[in-house]
Amino acid sequence: MTLVAFDFDGTLTGSDLTVLLGREYDVAREIQGLADQGRRGDVDFERSLRQRASLLEGMPEARVRAAFERCKLRDGVADLIADLRRSDVTVAIVTGSFGRGVETALERADLAVDHLVANRLVLENGAVTGEVEGPLLAGGKDRALTELAATSGVDLGRTVAVGNGAIDLPMLRVAGTAIGFEPERVVEGYCDVVVTSIHKLRLYFEQHGVVGTA
C-alpha cells in the first residue's frame, strides 16, 4: 500500500488561499509579501500565517466564500487524484492553509480525498476575527504524515510527499519519497525528485508503478 500526501497552495493549485482572500479584501500586496517570506522560510510559518490572518480581521463571511470560490485546482490534478485512488493509493492533503478553501476547490472539481489536514480561519458573527486555529500552525507536517501513515496501515517508507515550500520540509524529510513541485531553493536540496508540472508528476507516478498508465 502507498500513501501520497500533497501540499495544497502552490502545489495542487497555483493560488495561495490567503492571497485570494487578500484580493477580496484589498490587502493582497501585504499578504503576498508575508506569504512569500513564509514559503521561502525567511520567517516562521506560524508567524507569517497569523500576520496574514490579522490583516483579514472584519472581512465578511460572504467575501470569504467568494474568495474561496476563485480557487481552482491545476489542470490534471482531478484526474491524477481520482486515478491514484482507483489504484488503491491513499490520498491526503496536508496544508497549513484553510480547510474550507480546500474543500471548496475539491467540491467544484467533484473530487474527494481520503484525508484532509488543514488549519481554520476563525469567523464569528459573520466575519473574520483575525485569528487562525489548527494542527499545522507550528509546522507539524511530519507528525501529520506519520499519523496518517499509521492510521492507513502504510509503512512510512512507502509514503510519498509532494510540496514546494519551507513548511513542507518536515513532511518531505520523513516521507519515503520526497517530491518537490517547483520547489523553493531551501526545499530543493531535500527532494528526491523535482517536477515542474502535474503532467511530469503523473509520469513519475506511472514510471514507478504508483498509478496506472493513462
Side-chain angles (χ1 to χ4, degrees), residues 133-198:
E133 299 174 344
L136 295 173
L137 284 175
K141 286 196 174 189
D142 52 344
R143 183 177 64 251
L145 179 59
T146 301
E147 291 175 353
L148 287 171
T151 299
S152 304
V154 177
D155 185 277
L156 196 58
R158 290 190 59 80
T159 62
V160 180
V162 186
N164 72 326
I167 189 180
D168 300 314
L169 273 176
M171 178 171 72
L172 292 167
R173 285 171 174 161
V174 301
T177 302
I179 301 179
F181 189 97
E182 297 184 338
E184 294 293 327
R185 184 174 298 176
V186 69
V187 174
E188 188 169 355
Y190 295 92
C191 297
D192 300 306
V193 183
V194 170
V195 297
T196 55
S197 69
I198 296 298

Side-chain angles (χ1 to χ4, degrees), residues 29-63:
R29 181 176 296 179
E30 297 93 324
I31 287 181
Q32 182 72 66
L34 291 167
D36 290 344
Q37 290 176 349
R39 189 173 58 254
R40 293 192 302 262
D42 295 341
V43 298
D44 176 77
F45 173 79
E46 180 179 358
R47 178 183 175 190
S48 168
L49 185 62
R50 289 193 185 281
Q51 288 176 330
R52 283 177 271 163
S54 71
L55 291 169
L56 301 169
E57 182 178 359
M59 183 175 183
E61 186 173 3
R63 297 181 73 176

Side-chain angles (χ1 to χ4, degrees), residues 15-104:
S15 305
D16 181 299
L17 287 174
T18 61
V19 175
L20 292 179
L21 289 162
R23 288 176 184 164
E24 186 67 29
Y25 204 49
D26 299 324
V27 288
R29 181 176 296 179
E30 297 93 324
I31 287 181
Q32 182 72 66
L34 291 167
D36 290 344
Q37 290 176 349
R39 189 173 58 254
R40 293 192 302 262
D42 295 341
V43 298
D44 176 77
F45 173 79
E46 180 179 358
R47 178 183 175 190
S48 168
L49 185 62
R50 289 193 185 281
Q51 288 176 330
R52 283 177 271 163
S54 71
L55 291 169
L56 301 169
E57 182 178 359
M59 183 175 183
E61 186 173 3
R63 297 181 73 176
V64 172
R65 290 197 301 269
F68 287 162
E69 286 289 341
R70 293 193 178 93
C71 182
K72 297 180 180 179
L73 301 176
R74 293 184 188 272
D75 290 345
V77 163
D79 288 341
L80 175 59
I81 289 179
D83 287 346
L84 283 168
R85 298 186 75 213
R86 278 193 288 267
S87 301
D88 294 325
V89 174
T90 299
V91 176
I93 294 175
V94 181
T95 175
S97 197
F98 305 128
R100 186 58 233 165
V102 176
E103 291 167 351
T104 299

